[in-house]
Amino acid sequence: MRGTRLRGQRIALRPMARSDADALDRILRDRRVTRFLPPVVRRESGGQFVRRVLDDQQRGNGVAFVIVPRAEPKAVGQIRLFHWSRETRDAELGYWIRRSEWGQGWATEAVRLACGYGFRSMRLHRIEALVLDGNAASARVLEKAGFHREGRSRQSERVSRGWVDELRFGLLRGELKSETDA
Ligand SMILES: CC(C)(COP(=O)(O)OP(=O)(O)OC[C@H]1O[C@@H](n2cnc3c(N)ncnc32)[C@H](O)[C@@H]1OP(=O)(O)O)[C@@H](O)C(=O)NCCC(=O)NCCS
């Protein structure tokens, strides 16, 4: 399943393409972006990331978008639903944005658009997100979109500063908050 273009107020989500590799590569070279991401992503180039994600999408395991500002067509980040199970109707959410664009509400808008798509078009019942302890910006983005913090897996990720806990967030169908609810 390939996503369709989703329009928000300030950004749009467009289906990820192989041609996005260079733009995403420049973002992934920034340690401030990758330090809270899973080890596999920290090691990848943009090309490797796009190939892996699109192969995964091709196998039916998820749907991937790039985040583009309404004003210009260039990818400034990505958001995807992956680990999709049609049986349990759930999937995991992952996203990142270019450092220079942080703090404008774009991730929150992207999360709302992607989750809306997940509930509507993928018929999901539940969306999950895993956040490394200390990633306050990401936790805040999820809370603004209506996610509940559900649990803590102790020392489940290894980063350069040692073992870090992972926080589990969940959003059920009907719980997604729009900008006006927030
Ligand atoms: C997490 C990330 C996607 C957020 O993107 P963004 O576009 O800046 O997010 P938004 O502007 O929509 O919202 C950020 C919120 O976090 C808050 N915030 C930012 N830094 C914070 C901090 N250090 N402590 C507490 N809150 C913080 C902002 O104030 C804002 O909340 P507000 O609207 O209530 O003021 C971006 O920082 C990023 O790409 N980080 C690196 C990759 C990453 O961590 N991905 C998620 C992995 S789970």
Side-chain angles (χ1 to χ4, degrees):
M1 180 176 187
R2 188 170 182 271
T4 49
R5 190 181 174 92
L6 306 172
R7 285 185 183 78
Q9 300 240 301
R10 287 152 296 175
I11 54 132
L13 303 187
R14 120 170 117 59
M16 189 182 290
R18 297 208 183 252
S19 53
D20 292 312
D22 285 350
L24 296 183
D25 189 64
R26 280 192 285 280
I27 304 169
L28 278 179
R29 283 165 194 267
D30 185 344
R31 269 274 306 149
R32 291 166 303 179
V33 173
T34 58
R35 71 191 182 111
F36 287 120
L37 300 181
V40 58
V41 183
R42 290 203 294 271
R43 286 193 298 267
E44 280 174 325
S45 67
Q48 289 167 324
F49 175 80
V50 168
R51 210 171 310 126
R52 176 171 63 81
V53 165
L54 292 183
D55 287 352
D56 203 47
Q57 175 173 283
Q58 184 80 34
R59 285 194 290 271
N61 296 331
V63 178
F65 300 93
V66 289
I67 301 167
V68 293
R70 291 294 299 261
E72 47 156 339
K74 190 101 175 200
V76 296
Q78 68 85 38
I79 186 160
R80 67 190 184 112
L81 288 156
F82 60 110
H83 290 162
W84 178 14
S85 163
R86 286 166 181 76
E87 202 171 307
T88 50
R89 288 175 52 197
D90 58 3
E92 192 175 329
L93 182 71
Y95 45 85
W96 36 266
I97 285 193
R98 189 165 77 193
R99 172 70 189 94
S100 54
E101 315 300 344
W102 290 2
Q104 304 180 76
W106 288 6
T108 308
E109 198 168 324
V111 166
R112 288 181 173 133
L113 287 170
C115 291
Y117 178 85
F119 290 127
R120 215 174 39 247
S121 301
M122 296 162 73
R123 298 191 59 250
L124 296 176
H125 173 68
R126 172 185 163 83
I127 298 174
E128 198 166 276
L130 300 175
V131 177
L132 288 188
D133 197 12
N135 190 354
S138 188
R140 177 77 190 123
V141 164
L142 294 170
E143 277 161 6
K144 283 194 287 181
F147 277 77
H148 292 248
R149 192 175 132 183
E150 297 176 338
R152 171 185 293 269
S153 304
R154 292 172 308 138
Q155 300 194 3
S156 69
E157 278 284 357
R158 193 168 166 82
V159 298
S160 53
R161 61 186 191 280
W163 291 103
V164 182
D165 295 356
E166 200 164 46
L167 308 178
R168 183 178 300 272
F169 287 79
L171 180 76
L172 301 182
R173 175 179 277 274
E175 290 181 340
L176 183 60
K177 277 193 197 162
S178 69
E179 198 162 357
T180 44
D181 301 321

